[in-house]
Amino acid sequence: MAINSLKEIYHDQLQDIYSACKQSLDVTAELGRAATDKELSEALIAGSKGISEGMDALKSICAEHDIDPEGEHCKGMEGLVKEARAHALEEDFGDDDARDAMIITQYQRMVHYALAGYGCLVAFANRLEKDGDAAVLQRHLDETYDGDRRMTEIATKGGVNKAAA
């Protein structure tokens, strides 16, 4: 099916980010269990909760537009999830601090994909004058930015990177 309008792009991307969130949910929880730094583990658990809340919001928005949230499979996040598992969970580490640094790296890569997706959706919703959608999506975009900044703080100010060095 050819995409012919911003509305169709918007619907497609709602489904794409829903798929991305769905795929990243389990691996985020796995990263949280693998982390040895307490603050990192707690942040990843909070991240899982935020992802789940985002999925609920996306599901509601999709229902309002009469589209199936599961109508797409996000291959971009599929690759990022595979990378996260390979590099942070399946890789052999002789040092827990090094694993924690890698966990942050892989999680932030997934988060940056979500930031791009939510950012585009907010712009599309605004252009389409879907003010309610835009407000909900902006809230989740802001929360995703907050999670990304928290990971950077844990890595740099919290000492994960220093401990791994």
Side-chain angles (χ1 to χ4, degrees):
M1 177 174 107
I3 293 179
N4 295 307
S5 69
L6 187 62
K7 179 181 175 183
E8 290 173 352
I9 294 169
Y10 179 58
H11 290 175
D12 176 78
Q13 291 304 293
L14 283 166
Q15 293 171 318
D16 186 80
I17 197 69
Y18 182 85
S19 174
C21 289
K22 185 175 180 180
Q23 292 178 65
S24 67
L25 183 61
D26 288 341
V27 76
T28 299
E30 291 172 40
L31 294 170
R33 289 190 296 273
T36 56
D37 181 270
K38 185 177 191 252
E39 186 180 10
L40 175 57
S41 181
E42 289 171 357
L44 289 162
I45 291 166
S48 292
K49 184 178 178 213
I51 293 166
S52 182
E53 290 170 358
M55 289 175 65
D56 290 343
L58 290 164
K59 201 180 280 189
S60 293
I61 291 170
C62 286
E64 290 172 18
H65 293 279
D66 199 31
I67 56 174
D68 179 3
E70 301 203 29
E72 284 286 322
H73 177 74
C74 179
K75 292 188 183 271
M77 187 58 77
E78 179 182 357
L80 291 169
V81 166
K82 284 180 183 177
E83 289 288 309
R85 282 201 169 98
H87 294 288
L89 298 172
E90 296 165 1
E91 184 73 41
D92 288 328
F93 286 87
D95 183 85
D96 288 339
D97 297 317
R99 179 182 304 276
D100 285 348
M102 180 62 82
I103 286 171
I104 292 170
T105 300
Q106 297 304 316
Y107 179 72
Q108 283 191 297
R109 287 180 180 182
M110 291 187 296
V111 167
H112 290 184
Y113 189 94
L115 289 170
Y118 276 121
C120 290
L121 285 170
V122 169
F124 298 156
N126 282 323
R127 175 56 60 194
L128 294 167
E129 298 180 352
K130 302 289 184 192
D131 297 338
D133 291 6
V136 169
L137 293 164
Q138 183 66 56
R139 182 170 34 93
H140 288 285
L141 176 61
D142 293 344
E143 290 170 359
T144 305
Y145 271 117
D146 289 344
D148 182 55
R149 284 189 285 271
R150 186 171 181 201
M151 283 296 147
T152 297
E153 287 179 9
I154 291 168
T156 58
K157 296 176 185 167
V160 167
N161 288 353
K162 183 177 180 181

